[in-house]
Amino acid sequence: MRFRDRRAAGRELAALLVERLREERLRAPVVLALPRGGVPVGDEIARALGAPLDVVVARKIGAPFNPELGVGALAGEDPPLYDARTMAMLDLTADRLGAQVAAERTELHRREDLYRGKRPAPALHDRTAVVVDDGLATGVTARAAVRAVRGMDPAEIVLAVPVSAREPAAVLRAEVDDLVCLYTPEAFHSVGQWYEDFGQVSDEEVIGILRASASAGRPASAR
């Protein structure tokens, strides 16, 4: 099973979530996508649900010797969340990652300002937060995002992803009220292998999608 692109994957996910909405299993949903790749997926879901769209920015923390190798993540003002297994395998401790954490915290704030501007974060009290990404490889970034969203006092959290490795899906299922995932293949090497088109999503595309959603009358900051 491969998805044509992120929007096609979003439409397939949206069909499952619309069923939940019809069954009154989603309470005034707000879609919170992880930028950048989760935003096109989330946009399709928000359109189908008639729900507001916003972002929850989370940043991967890379190993000191290889920034592309994620050993943890952070979101909001929460403390960093580390992947204990990876940290142990690499013989790393949190105190060795201070520089990486500071740099990613700065970039997180920059992106929040870039994507949201002066708009307040969405009000989630008594609403369902639908957290969306384009896939889970280790799941640590999504876990950080989910924990940050939990601190915003939603009625419940639904995590929606098109594809996930099996272990992070099991871990995250225990951290959310509902996990909606189309595919958990046994052999999983990367998220991109499950897409025909997995081109990088730009900041400009993210901003354009959020503006279009707000212009359509679905502002996420509405109270």
Side-chain angles (χ1 to χ4, degrees):
M1 177 178 181
R2 296 181 77 205
F3 305 104
R4 187 175 75 246
D5 56 22
R6 291 180 177 90
R7 287 197 173 273
R11 288 190 290 271
E12 290 193 42
L13 268 179
L16 298 181
L17 289 161
V18 166
E19 284 301 311
R20 284 165 166 77
L21 185 66
R22 288 173 179 162
E23 295 166 0
E24 299 183 350
R25 294 166 61 188
L26 302 180
R27 186 185 306 177
V30 177
V31 177
L32 299 172
L34 275 75
R36 292 178 290 205
V39 174
V41 183
D43 188 38
E44 293 293 336
I45 292 171
R47 288 170 183 265
L49 296 178
L53 173 69
D54 208 315
V55 292
V56 51
V57 182
R59 294 292 299 168
K60 176 177 69 179
I61 301 169
F65 51 86
N66 181 2
E68 293 304 311
L69 177 58
V71 298
L74 71 167
E77 299 302 322
D78 291 354
L81 175 68
Y82 294 107
D83 185 313
R85 177 185 293 183
T86 304
M87 293 281 281
M89 286 176 56
L90 300 176
D91 194 25
L92 284 175
T93 56
D95 58 0
R96 292 181 58 190
L97 296 170
Q100 284 83 0
V101 170
E104 294 302 338
R105 185 81 71 184
T106 298
E107 178 62 13
L108 184 152
H109 290 154
R110 185 194 73 83
R111 291 200 182 199
E112 286 182 332
D113 290 343
L114 179 65
Y115 300 148
R116 187 174 289 124
K118 296 187 180 300
R119 287 186 297 110
L124 299 181
H125 179 69
D126 209 30
R127 304 186 76 166
T128 299
V130 182
V131 179
V132 179
D133 205 357
D134 55 12
L136 304 177
T138 68
V140 67
T141 305
R143 283 175 62 205
V146 162
R147 291 187 179 188
V149 171
R150 183 73 70 186
M152 299 167 71
D153 193 33
E156 61 178 354
I157 298 177
V158 174
L159 177 62
V161 292
V163 62
S164 175
R166 293 189 175 183
E167 184 173 343
V171 169
L172 276 154
R173 194 179 299 277
E175 296 219 6
V176 297
D177 298 284
D178 191 10
L179 173 66
V180 181
C181 181
L182 296 168
Y183 193 37
T184 53
E186 184 173 357
F188 191 106
H189 302 293
S190 69
V191 174
Q193 78 183 100
W194 306 104
Y195 288 85
E196 295 174 15
D197 178 0
F198 197 66
Q200 187 174 29
V201 178
S202 68
D203 285 336
E204 291 75 18
E205 185 175 351
V206 170
I207 293 166
I209 289 171
L210 293 174
R211 285 178 176 169
S213 176
S215 296
R218 295 183 280 117
S221 57
R223 294 176 184 266

